[in-house]
Amino acid sequence: MHQFVISKFRSYHNAVLEFPQGVVCLVGDNGAGKTNLLEALSLFAPGKGLKGTNASNWHHKGDLEASWTLKLSLQSPTGPLVLETFESKGKRCITMNGVRLKHQLEISQWISIHWITPAIDRMWNQGWWARRKYFDRIVFTLYPAYGKYLQSYQLAVQERNRALKSQASSFIFDALEEIMAHNSVKIYKIRQEALKMLGIFLQLFPSFPLLSLETHGEFESLMACLTFNEKDLPHQESELKKYWKTVRTKEFHKGTTMFGPHQCQWAVTHPNSQEIASCSTGEQKSMLLSLVLAWSKAIKHFHPKEFHFLLLDEVSAHLDKMHRESLWKALSELDMCVWMTGVHQEVFSGVLAKAWVRIKQLEEQSTLFIKRP
Ligand SMILES: Nc1ncnc2c1ncn2[C@@H]1O[C@H](COP(=O)(O)OP(=O)(O)OP(=O)(O)O)[C@@H](O)[C@H]1O
């Protein structure tokens, strides 16, 4: 059994949850604290967690002085792994077996967490940025080095945007575009690799749509024209630098960088040739689940020794019986920690869960009990 201890986080004053590997169903009324529990777990991934909110929202209401703490103790074949995240001097810190990580991204060496929530269901119609953020999260869990390249690239783009607004001197642009070019090539390569891998793993779930995944954009078109092997890297980087240099004058007026992997459009197409944005709500849900299942197989393939969590908030909404039954079967065969929430236990009928947790509105003290199905 693994253990999760939550202290002064959102609706939880103090909660202890012991849970097994496999599928865990969290059942409770509206407002009982199911999503808060998933959000707490999602903070063992770098970033702002499943709701994408600021840390100021995480304090247990009325307890602003005391800081929140989340502790995840996992049993691995080589011994216990204790991960903790908490707030210290306004910053989120993470420790592994008591040793503080220098950077949040480092946590991906031990654990990867992926989630889908009703907000992600709506993402497809919200514009390319929302999809790109989601895609980047998938790619990062599969290829942890990607996070570093993406972060360096994004920082350089922010600096370049500032330089465009202040019409800085050309040597500043040269230096920033050098960093952007180096990281862009890596980002492109890793994204293409991730698409290829997801494409392979999607085929393992015939009950779900076999999606076609592609990236589009001016940057992607240019990269596709440049041949691709390791010895071409200097050539690709210099072509990108040339491109950014030629568009500087045009971009001075806009004050923003218009070309690069940050403008990538991630297209997801149903086998019926409809792009996901024009598919029905239920089709979109089954497409999202195809991706999630492909991710699960890919992550186990690439990182077999690490811990993997899949968090599915209100997952059964919009799914027909056939997809629901196929999903329950696929999840029970995944051999990872899958946490699902639902208001009624009946929605999980047919789930081969390892544990059921009944969550009640919790006030001062809360201990969560595991029930065998
Ligand atoms: N910082 C906080 N401190 C205390 N309570 C909070 C905090 N943030 C949110 N809550 C409360 O936590 C409760 C549980 O929210 P949560 O989203 O986990 O519910 P849920 O079980 O997922 O409900 P639903 O089925 O309606 O989605 C809500 O009543 C919410 O107001």
Side-chain angles (χ1 to χ4, degrees):
M1 291 290 255
H2 309 300
Q3 194 191 57
F4 187 30
V5 181
I6 310 175
S7 180
K8 299 183 177 66
F9 181 85
R10 290 224 189 240
S11 52
Y12 292 94
H13 179 70
N14 201 357
V16 181
L17 176 64
E18 302 219 325
F19 63 97
Q21 182 88 355
V23 178
V24 172
C25 296
L26 309 171
V27 182
D29 294 337
N30 292 137
K34 305 178 293 295
T35 310
N36 290 347
L37 199 53
L38 294 193
E39 185 188 27
L41 253 186
S42 73
L43 291 177
F44 288 93
K48 293 180 171 185
L50 160 158
K51 287 187 185 160
T53 55
N54 288 325
S56 57
N57 297 302
W58 298 338
H59 290 278
H60 181 56
K61 199 166 52 199
D63 223 342
L64 285 175
E65 294 304 312
S67 112
W68 55 270
T69 308
L70 307 168
K71 186 173 171 186
L72 190 57
S73 308
L74 302 167
Q75 297 306 321
S76 79
T78 52
L81 175 72
V82 182
L83 295 165
E84 236 179 312
T85 181
F86 52 89
E87 193 175 89
S88 169
K89 296 180 188 147
K91 279 184 98 180
R92 178 152 96 86
C93 306
I94 304 180
T95 62
M96 199 288 289
N97 287 351
V99 180
R100 190 155 162 180
L101 306 186
K102 285 204 184 94
H103 201 290
Q104 284 184 22
L105 293 176
E106 287 175 42
I107 200 170
S108 60
Q109 293 169 51
W110 299 283
I111 183 171
S112 68
I113 306 191
H114 190 43
W115 55 82
I116 59 172
T117 63
I120 291 175
D121 287 351
R122 295 187 291 272
M123 162 186 82
W124 307 111
N125 303 315
Q126 285 173 348
W128 295 108
W129 66 270
R131 289 187 193 205
R132 193 163 45 239
K133 211 166 126 202
Y134 181 75
F135 178 48
D136 283 337
R137 196 149 51 75
I138 294 185
V139 179
F140 164 69
T141 52
L142 297 177
Y143 304 88
Y146 181 73
K148 203 177 62 194
Y149 299 130
L150 199 61
Q151 207 171 48
S152 306
Y153 172 78
Q154 284 167 342
L155 285 173
V157 170
Q158 278 168 21
E159 282 298 316
R160 187 175 182 275
N161 289 345
R162 269 194 282 275
L164 285 169
K165 286 190 185 105
S166 63
Q167 307 222 342
S169 57
S170 66
F171 74 86
I172 292 186
F173 281 97
D174 290 344
L176 291 170
E177 287 161 8
E178 173 100 40
I179 300 170
M180 285 160 61
H182 174 74
N183 289 292
S184 295
V185 174
K186 303 273 188 206
I187 291 168
Y188 177 78
K189 230 175 143 186
I190 296 176
R191 279 182 180 166
Q192 294 307 306
E193 186 62 23
L195 291 180
K196 197 170 97 196
M197 284 300 143
L198 288 170
I200 293 170
F201 288 106
L202 278 166
Q203 297 175 32
L204 300 178
F205 300 97
S207 311
F208 286 87
L210 181 56
L211 309 176
S212 121
L213 307 174
E214 285 167 339
T215 51
H216 300 295
E218 251 187 282
F219 165 78
E220 283 69 22
S221 305
L222 176 65
M223 291 304 282
C225 293
L226 304 167
T227 37
F228 233 115
N229 56 49
E230 290 305 318
K231 68 178 189 324
D232 287 333
L233 289 183
H235 169 61
Q236 287 152 359
E237 290 184 16
S238 74
E239 286 298 305
L240 289 172
K241 281 191 282 182
K242 248 192 254 167
Y243 190 92
W244 275 308
K245 195 168 185 168
T246 53
V247 293
R248 272 180 213 166
T249 328
K250 196 168 84 189
E251 289 182 339
F252 276 137
H253 303 295
K254 301 220 158 98
T256 185
T257 303
M258 305 293 290
F259 172 85
H262 65 294
Q263 296 285 352
C264 161
Q265 299 182 351
W266 180 41
V268 179
T269 311
H270 194 275
N272 70 11
S273 306
Q274 296 277 359
E275 210 287 318
I276 192 162
S278 40
C279 288
S280 75
T281 318
E283 281 173 334
Q284 289 182 344
K285 188 63 172 256
S286 60
M287 292 165 85
L288 188 56
L289 287 164
S290 285
L291 271 172
V292 166
L293 292 170
W295 170 85
S296 313
K297 288 287 181 188
I299 197 97
K300 290 289 284 186
H301 175 80
F302 286 116
H303 307 283
K305 293 202 186 113
E306 294 160 18
F307 286 95
H308 307 296
F309 282 77
L310 185 54
L311 313 178
L312 305 173
D313 196 15
E314 299 290 350
V315 72
S316 64
H318 309 298
L319 277 189
D320 57 31
K321 191 162 177 279
M322 187 280 282
H323 282 110
R324 218 168 36 233
E325 285 172 359
S326 307
L327 179 65
W328 300 159
K329 183 168 178 299
L331 294 177
S332 67
E333 290 168 0
L334 281 182
D335 185 30
M336 60 168 63
C337 294
V338 180
W339 288 31
M340 298 196 282
T341 68
V343 174
H344 303 293
Q345 190 151 343
E346 301 85 77
V347 296
F348 296 126
S349 120
V351 177
L352 288 170
K354 289 279 178 62
W356 294 89
V357 184
R358 177 95 217 159
I359 300 191
K360 295 213 181 95
Q361 204 112 32
L362 300 155
E363 288 296 325
E364 278 305 286
Q365 179 72 29
S366 49
T367 304
L368 306 172
F369 298 100
I370 295 284
K371 269 203 228 151
R372 297 275 163 203

